[in-house]
């Protein structure tokens, strides 16, 4: 995630949001803060999964919720193209729902997390 920010900073490769080419400045202003936050959340997920923490699955869902909130706010304030906003909302909702099913409803994954939840460790 952070490499993508560096690549755009050094003008290496295209700047794309929602499948559309955007200016480098626009990408850095709009996408870079979200990409940085998601990078941090992804690092937390990696740590939590590696150390068998029950809250790892909640962080995965938080990533998609963050994208939805961010796109909604920027779209409402007309700081983001409507087509990009809708694509972000649709993709984040679809993958968020799939993640909810996988982490909370898929039987073998739910069984994995159940004893971790009972341990009550942070």
């Amino acid at each position: 995630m952070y490499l993508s920010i560096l690549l755009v900073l050094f003008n290496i490769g295209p700047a794309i949001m929602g499948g559309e080419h955007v200016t480098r400045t626009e990408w850095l202003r709009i996408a870079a803060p979200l990409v940085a936050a998601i990078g941090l959340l992804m690092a937390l997920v990696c740590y939590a999964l590696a150390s068998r923490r029950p809250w790892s699955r909640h962080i995965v869902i938080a990533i998609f919720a963050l994208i939805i909130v961010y796109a909604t706010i920027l779209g409402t304030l007309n700081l983001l193209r409507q087509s990009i906003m809708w694509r972000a909302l649709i993709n984040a909702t679809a993958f968020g729902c799939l993640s909810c099913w996988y982490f909370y409803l898929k039987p073998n994954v739910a069984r994995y997390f159940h004893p971790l939840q009972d341990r009550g460790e942070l």
Side-chain angles (χ1 to χ4, degrees):
M1 297 302 278
Y2 294 103
L3 178 61
S4 67
I5 295 171
L6 284 174
L7 291 174
V8 172
L9 270 173
F10 292 117
N11 206 17
I12 300 171
I16 298 175
M17 285 190 308
E20 297 183 26
H21 288 276
V22 296
T23 66
R24 184 176 149 267
T25 306
E26 189 177 14
W27 193 94
L28 288 170
R29 184 175 49 84
I30 294 172
L34 180 63
V35 170
I38 291 172
L40 178 64
L41 291 173
M42 288 171 70
L44 279 172
V45 169
C46 291
Y47 165 75
L49 287 172
S51 59
R52 300 177 50 96
R53 305 286 187 212
W55 47 266
S56 59
R57 60 186 176 168
H58 307 316
I59 303 296
V60 172
I61 304 307
I63 291 172
F64 296 109
L66 175 63
I67 295 169
I68 291 169
V69 169
Y70 193 75
T72 302
I73 290 170
L74 291 183
T76 302
L77 297 174
N78 287 324
L79 299 173
L80 184 64
R81 295 181 204 163
Q82 294 296 307
S83 59
I84 295 173
M85 178 198 71
W86 283 111
R87 183 158 181 182
L89 291 175
I90 291 168
N91 286 346
T93 301
F95 287 108
C97 288
L98 284 172
S99 295
C100 282
W101 168 80
Y102 181 80
F103 284 108
Y104 295 97
L105 301 176
K106 190 169 186 241
N108 62 328
V109 177
R111 269 193 310 274
Y112 169 80
F113 280 102
H114 186 70
L116 298 179
Q117 202 72 35
D118 291 342
R119 275 191 336 200
E121 291 181 17
L122 293 175

